[in-house]
Amino acid sequence: MPDDITVPLGRAFTATLNRLRQAMREPLADLPVALAPPDIGLLQFLLESPGATPQCLARHQARDKAQLTRKIKALEAQGLIRREADPDDGRKVRLFLSKQGQAMAKAGEQVRRAAFTELLQGLSRREQEQLLGLLQKCQPDTE
């Protein structure tokens, strides 16, 4: 189908995401704790939503529960996350960032911002706003 734009669009999305991840890898490796690009979003979410449940985090991160459980355990072993029993329902667990986790979330966000600045440097402010608007239109309505 000659008018099918999904293939080049898919390639462009993949190439852009790979470029963003690459721009983040080296600065993240310089942090005192080993973090991967997806970890930044996870830590940032917990910084903004302290006490979130693993289920809430899995929905936000669009990751399956088993994969996320392993990641939570790894971040907990690094001293970035702590789990606490829900005071209203002892069967539930709430997640919080440690002081070090808060610092790493903030440092990781700086790395992400620098990577986006590098990625978008060839676009004007107007083009960046247009890109944002188009990407937001692709998101499901959460209201």
Side-chain angles (χ1 to χ4, degrees):
M1 187 187 316
D3 289 340
D4 186 6
I5 194 168
T6 59
V7 172
L9 192 56
R11 287 181 183 144
F13 266 110
T14 299
T16 302
L17 288 173
N18 287 341
R19 188 171 160 217
L20 181 63
R21 285 186 198 107
Q22 187 60 37
M24 292 176 70
R25 278 194 184 99
E26 190 174 320
L28 286 176
D30 292 338
L31 294 178
V33 176
L35 295 173
D39 299 339
I40 302 308
L42 189 153
L43 294 176
Q44 196 64 36
F45 180 76
L46 291 177
L47 185 66
E48 295 168 3
S49 305
T53 64
Q55 296 79 5
C56 181
L57 185 57
R59 278 192 308 277
H60 181 267
Q61 295 285 295
R63 294 164 103 171
D64 78 32
K65 194 175 172 189
Q67 180 186 35
L68 190 63
T69 298
R70 287 189 299 276
K71 179 50 74 176
I72 290 169
K73 285 181 182 180
L75 293 172
E76 189 176 27
Q78 291 175 295
L80 302 179
I81 291 178
R82 72 177 191 282
R83 301 178 209 216
E84 293 181 12
D86 186 310
D88 300 323
D89 183 349
R91 298 169 295 173
K92 287 185 181 178
V93 172
R94 300 281 178 179
L95 302 172
F96 297 88
L97 293 179
S98 66
K99 293 287 185 199
Q100 185 182 19
Q102 291 172 21
M104 289 301 98
K106 291 172 184 171
E109 182 58 24
Q110 289 177 341
V111 167
R112 182 164 48 183
R113 284 180 187 210
F116 269 104
T117 298
E118 179 184 324
L119 180 74
L120 299 173
Q121 69 185 357
L123 300 178
S124 69
R125 175 67 184 201
R126 181 177 162 90
E127 289 170 325
Q128 290 178 28
E129 289 170 356
Q130 184 179 20
L131 177 60
L132 176 60
L134 292 170
L135 291 171
Q136 286 174 332
K137 283 179 78 171
C138 293
Q139 301 305 311
D141 188 13
T142 56
E143 295 181 35

